């Protein structure tokens, strides 16, 4: 589904973000990117939708080369990629429903978005997704009145409302306790299985990655050092990734 070829990001100050990463992230599967802090996990994930501009190499989403697109074409391709952030990145003063509706923005004209007149079907779809993440009783609650776990569920609902092929999640658990972390991963797995959305998450905590992932990509110092299924990941390889 997402494929990278020799993807490299060198930051302006010369720091290596990622180096020559070539990987195929299988469609419809849940893949975790593991590795210690500074390994390049966020850099890689953000290069996929060009939140970070790669220095060289290619990114493909299906048959579309993301790294060859500009302007409108890039925006259109980004619609197919939902993104979930560690710090949620919601609009605090908007309600749950309005935040989730922003996931539909790519599908409508700017004028329509500004006046808040969304098509009825879109609203119905958003409400159904909010129900699926367990927040139906909070539709009209401002998100700044929600707990961290609830806000992350809004983040997931917003990404799903985009009807994406892929959901990328950059350390979605980092602000949450273990119980909430399981809730969030459970939801991502549920959307992955139910709608076939490919999910790729950055997760530094291997124990969580282990319980939910089909595949694992190990990064170390910006380079790919492991790719495979969980059963192929040996204790020695774990140590190599993290040491
Ligand atoms: P991870 O998400 O695995 O913790 P990152 O992708 O954030 O790793 O970082 C990879 C490397 O790139 C680290 O050495 C980090 O310090 C560096 N880095 C990240 N962002 C920038 C930046 N904007 N400018 C310079 N170096 C950066
Ligand atoms: Mg990171």
């Amino acid at each position: 589904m997402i494929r990278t070829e020799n993807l490299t990001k060198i930051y302006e100050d010369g720091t290596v973000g990622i180096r020559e990463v070539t990987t195929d992230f299988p469609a419809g599967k849940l893949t975790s990117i593991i590795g210690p802090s500074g390994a390049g996990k966020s850099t890689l994930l953000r290069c996929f939708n060009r939140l970070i501009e790669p220095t060289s190499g290619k990114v493909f989403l299906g048959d579309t080369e993301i790294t060859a697109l500009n302007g409108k074409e890039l925006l259109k391709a980004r619609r197919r990629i939902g993104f979930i952030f560690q710090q949620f990145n919601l609009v605090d003063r908007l309600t749950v429903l309005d935040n989730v509706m922003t996931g539909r923005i790519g599908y409508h004209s700017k004028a329509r978005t500004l006046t808040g007149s969304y098509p009825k079907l879109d609203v119905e779809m958003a409400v159904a997704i909010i129900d699926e993440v367990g927040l139906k009783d909070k539709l009209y609650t401002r998100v700044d009145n929600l707990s961290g776990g609830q806000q992350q569920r809004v983040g997931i609902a917003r990404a799903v409302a985009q009807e994406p092929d892929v959901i990328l999640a950059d350390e979605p658990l980092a602000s949450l306790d273990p119980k909430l972390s399981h809730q969030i991963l459970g939801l991502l797995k549920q959307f992955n299985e139910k709608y076939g959305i490919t999910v790729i998450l950055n997760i530094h905590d291997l124990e969580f990655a282990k319980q939910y992932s089909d595949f694992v990509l190990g990064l170390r110092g910006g380079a790919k050092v492991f790719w495979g299924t969980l059963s192929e990941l040996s204790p020695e390889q774990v140590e190599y990734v993290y040491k």
Side-chain angles (χ1 to χ4, degrees):
M1 172 54 63
I2 284 194
R3 185 159 55 87
T4 67
E5 279 179 21
N6 302 317
L7 197 65
T8 297
K9 172 67 182 180
I10 313 286
Y11 288 101
E12 307 238 309
D13 64 0
T15 308
V16 175
I18 48 169
R19 195 199 298 272
E20 300 282 323
V21 175
T22 299
T23 300
D24 224 320
F25 294 86
K29 301 292 182 191
L30 192 151
T31 301
S32 293
I33 303 174
I34 61 165
S37 180
K41 304 183 295 296
S42 296
T43 304
L44 179 61
L45 210 67
R46 281 156 202 260
C47 281
F48 289 164
N49 60 357
R50 288 171 59 198
L51 284 178
I52 290 178
E53 204 57 60
T55 308
S56 59
K58 294 178 180 177
V59 177
F60 293 89
L61 175 62
D63 295 331
T64 309
E65 190 196 333
I66 299 280
T67 34
L69 302 179
N70 282 306
K72 269 194 178 147
E73 293 300 311
L74 178 59
L75 290 180
K76 216 169 126 195
R78 276 191 181 142
R79 223 161 64 175
R80 298 167 58 195
I81 308 175
F83 207 99
I84 294 170
F85 299 84
Q86 175 180 339
Q87 295 301 336
F88 321 132
N89 283 34
L90 304 173
V91 185
D92 282 344
R93 60 197 165 69
L94 292 185
T95 64
V96 169
L97 181 58
D98 284 334
N99 267 280
V100 174
M101 288 308 296
T102 65
R104 303 296 302 161
I105 277 178
Y107 291 93
H108 304 297
S109 71
K110 212 175 233 163
R112 191 163 215 175
T113 306
L114 287 175
T115 57
S117 63
Y118 296 105
K120 189 161 165 270
L121 271 179
D122 281 40
V123 177
E124 283 171 4
M125 173 193 170
V127 170
I129 295 166
I130 292 167
D131 191 18
E132 280 190 87
V133 302
L135 292 175
K136 198 162 187 188
D137 58 334
K138 305 281 188 207
L139 278 179
Y140 302 108
T141 305
R142 270 174 58 150
V143 293
D144 51 5
N145 289 322
L146 299 179
S147 69
Q150 290 170 330
Q151 290 194 37
Q152 193 56 297
R153 284 190 269 155
V154 177
I156 293 175
R158 177 180 58 187
V160 173
Q162 239 176 283
E163 296 181 279
D165 297 328
V166 182
I167 288 181
L168 308 175
D170 194 5
E171 302 282 358
L173 313 177
S175 311
L176 306 175
D177 67 33
K179 185 168 162 239
L180 292 175
S181 295
H182 281 295
Q183 261 182 26
I184 293 301
L185 287 174
L187 278 173
L188 287 170
K189 187 80 195 158
Q190 181 184 318
F191 286 115
N192 163 246
E193 287 175 349
K194 188 165 165 193
Y195 301 116
I197 301 172
T198 304
V199 176
I200 304 172
L201 27 122
N202 281 348
I203 192 163
H204 66 270
D205 187 326
L206 184 62
E207 289 314 307
F208 281 113
K210 273 184 176 166
Q211 290 181 54
Y212 295 87
S213 313
D214 300 307
F215 292 93
V216 175
L217 170 68
L219 290 182
R220 172 181 157 165
K224 169 178 157 182
V225 292
F226 176 80
W227 167 263
T229 62
L230 271 175
S231 54
E232 292 164 346
L233 182 67
S234 67
E236 293 73 33
Q237 277 161 325
V238 170
E239 194 184 315
Y240 183 70
V241 171
Y242 282 96
K243 141 186 111 182

